[in-house]
């Protein structure tokens, strides 16, 4: 029986992920400016030339890390909402708020790196991004289903996203906000109030 040989080279997507993972570790440990391309390639155990097959600059890696962070958070939020019954609008809205907050809290250092320490070139992301769009769709669908009355779902989505973002950043910075469970319950209650629902007791 012939022995299957291991491929000498890894698929491009896997190699790209390894470069990104090495860059993430180094950026978090040393900062963006304090990290060199050579250190990234050494961390990923690849030749320096391999870096330039995937990225033109160190900044391109940072932008890829931003995109991966946002997509991972969107995937978690989408899964949390999808896990609720389709007609349970209260549950779906609460799932959105909790999953979004937990995603930010669990990756606070990475979020700070890619959005605060080295901010993106535009502020547009706070008003229009995939997470705001997802919440906009959820609020609009809930209004259509009679769960609440919201005339401007887009405005409400931007308002709630930025409010949640601010509170979570405050918690990540170590400012007093209580324990995580209390924070999530408070966020949920404020999200409910914003769409005209009474917060659940207890």
């Amino acid at each position: 029986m012939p022995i299957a040989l291991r491929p000498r080279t890894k698929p491009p997507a896997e190699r790209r992920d390894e470069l990104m993972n090495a860059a993430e570790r180094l950026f978090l440990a040393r900062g963006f400016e304090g990290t060199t391309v050579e250190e990234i390639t050494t961390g990923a155990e690849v030749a320096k030339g391999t870096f330039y097959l995937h990225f033109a600059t160190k900044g391109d890696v940072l932008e890829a890390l931003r995109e991966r962070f946002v997509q991972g958070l969107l995937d978690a939020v989408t899964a949390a909402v999808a896990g609720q019954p389709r007609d349970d609008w209260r549950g779906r809205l609460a799932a959105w708020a909790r999953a979004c907050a937990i995603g930010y809290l669990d990756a606070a250092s990475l979020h700070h790196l890619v959005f605060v320490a080295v901010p993106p070139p535009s502020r547009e992301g706070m008003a229009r991004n995939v997470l705001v769009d997802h919440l906009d769709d959820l609020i609009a669908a809930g209004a259509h289903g009679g769960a609440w009355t919201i005339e401007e779902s887009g405005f409400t989505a931007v308002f709630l996203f930025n409010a949640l973002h601010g509170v979570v950043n405050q918690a990540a910075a170590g400012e007093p906000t209580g324990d995580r469970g209390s924070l999530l319950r408070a966020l949920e209650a404020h999200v409910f109030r914003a769409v005209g629902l009474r917060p659940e007791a207890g």
Side-chain angles (χ1 to χ4, degrees):
M1 181 177 180
I3 299 174
L5 298 177
R6 297 179 63 184
R8 291 187 177 182
T9 59
K10 295 182 179 180
E14 185 176 347
R15 187 66 80 191
R16 187 174 189 271
D17 279 344
E18 289 178 346
L19 284 163
M20 289 173 62
N21 292 339
E24 180 180 324
R25 289 192 301 271
L26 288 162
F27 290 163
L28 288 172
R30 303 181 185 184
F32 176 74
E33 296 297 339
T35 299
T36 66
V37 169
E38 185 173 1
E39 287 170 335
I40 294 172
T41 56
T42 298
E45 299 182 348
V46 300
K48 192 171 181 179
T50 303
F51 178 92
Y52 295 104
L53 294 175
H54 299 276
F55 304 101
T57 66
K58 200 169 58 169
D60 288 344
V61 185
L62 188 70
E63 181 58 34
L65 289 172
R66 283 190 188 112
E67 293 174 1
R68 186 167 75 174
F69 173 87
V70 172
Q71 186 60 54
L73 182 53
L74 176 64
D75 291 346
V77 168
T78 301
V81 172
Q84 302 296 314
R86 290 186 61 84
D87 60 348
D88 181 7
W89 295 107
R90 176 185 286 269
R92 290 166 73 83
L93 187 59
W96 190 98
R98 283 177 171 267
C100 192
I102 289 170
Y104 279 123
L105 289 168
D106 285 349
S109 296
L110 177 60
H111 176 264
H112 180 82
L113 167 72
V114 298
F115 287 105
V116 181
V118 188
S122 170
R123 294 183 180 181
E124 185 178 331
M126 296 303 289
R128 197 80 275 168
N129 62 49
V130 291
L131 293 164
V132 172
D133 291 343
H134 189 268
L135 181 56
D136 183 359
D137 291 342
L138 175 59
I139 292 171
H144 182 73
W148 44 69
T149 302
I150 296 290
E151 294 182 0
E152 296 288 342
S153 60
F155 179 92
T156 304
V158 171
F159 177 84
L160 288 175
F161 173 78
N162 280 273
L164 181 147
H165 197 268
V167 170
V168 170
N169 279 349
Q170 182 185 42
E175 297 183 32
T177 53
D179 62 74
R180 180 178 288 201
S182 298
L183 174 63
L184 294 176
R185 286 190 295 274
L187 282 170
E188 183 180 297
H190 280 74
V191 167
F192 286 159
R193 291 189 185 100
V195 298
L197 297 180
R198 291 176 59 85
E200 293 179 330

